Amino acid sequence: QKEVEQDPGPLSVPEGAIVSLNCTYSNSAFQYFMWYRQYSRKGPELLMYTYSSGNKEDGRFTAQVDKSSKYISLFIRDSQPSDSATYLCAMLWGGNQFYFGTGTSLTVIP
Amino acid sequence: DAGVTQSPTHLIKTRGQQVTLRCSPKSGHDTVSWYQQALGQGPQFIFQYYEEEERQRGNFPDRFSGHQFPNYSSELNVNALLLGDSALYLCASSLDWRSTDTQYFGPGTRLTVL
């Protein structure tokens, strides 16, 4: 079993839709959770960083962490074609070794 | 403020050869981590350098080695290249390997092994 599981998609939605991206994890020691966006053939770009259960909002993006269920989500409101990318969840427990999901490919259709 | 930079952008090698990839961290960062990202996969942790020493290592063979210089820049060396080493190699920098500060990634070096 992988430490971090993420549905690879692909996910295709119309412009303006609400997008929900999810990851589950097995290691209950994970304390810090991140979402990265990666455009084709580019390095990952940090979107959200959280370290506790609950919600964190930043513009059109909301990160949600449920440690009891070992489940994290990223919601994108009013999705735009420029949001089309691969979204990676990442997590760590102390130290600085990040564990990544496989990424979910998202396409927002104009 | 320059972010993380990597060179070269692309590289083509043949099996059995050796390759060196380079990374300069974000200004003010002293910790460099290297990741391998195969096509359609998430990044896999290779190792991390801080104060010119390898501090953590993922599940990669000894063919993968690295170095960090006094100016915090880093190199990743891969010997005896295999076809399976073809991937995007990402460098990430952060503040202090013991902290949980997040990492900032460079654009990557795409390595193709023929």
Side-chain angles (χ1 to χ4, degrees):
Chain A
Q1 182 186 11
K2 288 185 177 181
E3 300 257 18
V4 181
E5 300 279 357
Q6 184 175 9
D7 185 342
L11 189 59
S12 184
V13 301
E15 183 176 352
I18 297 175
V19 176
S20 172
L21 305 167
N22 310 295
C23 287
T24 59
Y25 61 94
S26 57
N27 188 346
S28 58
F30 285 137
Q31 299 179 47
Y32 303 89
F33 307 91
M34 285 130 292
W35 285 94
Y36 285 84
R37 177 175 61 196
Q38 186 173 26
Y39 291 114
S40 180
R41 299 184 176 273
K42 302 291 186 184
E45 168 195 10
L46 179 67
L47 283 177
M48 302 287 283
Y49 177 84
T50 60
Y51 62 92
S52 62
S53 286
N55 294 352
K56 180 177 180 180
E57 191 172 315
D58 184 1
R60 297 185 296 110
F61 298 91
T62 299
Q64 188 175 80
V65 175
D66 182 348
K67 289 185 178 179
S68 62
S69 301
K70 299 190 183 68
Y71 189 89
I72 68 171
S73 299
L74 177 71
F75 298 96
I76 306 174
R77 291 183 300 279
D78 188 25
S79 56
Q80 303 294 310
S82 59
D83 295 328
S84 298
T86 295
Y87 289 81
L88 295 156
C89 63
M91 42 197 83
L92 75 157
W93 54 272
N96 212 236
Q97 182 174 342
F98 281 52
Y99 294 83
F100 282 86
T102 54
T104 299
S105 176
L106 171 67
T107 300
V108 180
I109 303 168
Chain B
D1 178 24
V4 180
T5 60
Q6 292 186 244
S7 63
T9 304
H10 296 91
L11 207 50
I12 299 175
K13 293 286 187 178
T14 57
R15 281 178 297 174
Q17 285 189 310
Q18 179 265 344
V19 67
T20 297
L21 311 181
R22 296 176 175 81
C23 171
S24 291
K26 182 178 169 65
S27 178
H29 285 182
D30 56 13
T31 300
V32 173
S33 301
W34 286 92
Y35 291 81
Q36 180 194 66
Q37 186 176 24
L39 197 62
Q41 300 296 315
Q44 298 292 312
F45 177 75
I46 302 175
F47 43 53
Q48 181 182 74
Y49 278 84
Y50 172 75
E51 289 189 340
E52 302 178 49
E53 289 189 18
E54 184 182 294
R55 300 291 177 168
Q56 297 186 78
R57 189 179 181 93
N59 189 25
F60 278 80
D62 292 344
R63 298 187 297 109
F64 290 78
S65 63
H67 188 77
Q68 186 178 34
F69 299 94
N71 67 353
Y72 309 125
S73 67
S74 176
E75 288 182 349
L76 164 66
N77 300 293
V78 186
N79 294 322
L81 285 167
L82 304 174
L83 295 179
D85 295 331
S86 295
L88 180 68
Y89 287 84
L90 295 164
C91 170
S93 73
S94 57
L95 284 168
D96 192 340
W97 74 289
R98 291 156 296 189
S99 82
T100 52
D101 186 38
T102 194
Q103 298 182 349
Y104 295 85
F105 285 84
T109 293
R110 185 161 297 280
L111 172 65
T112 301
V113 181
L114 302 176

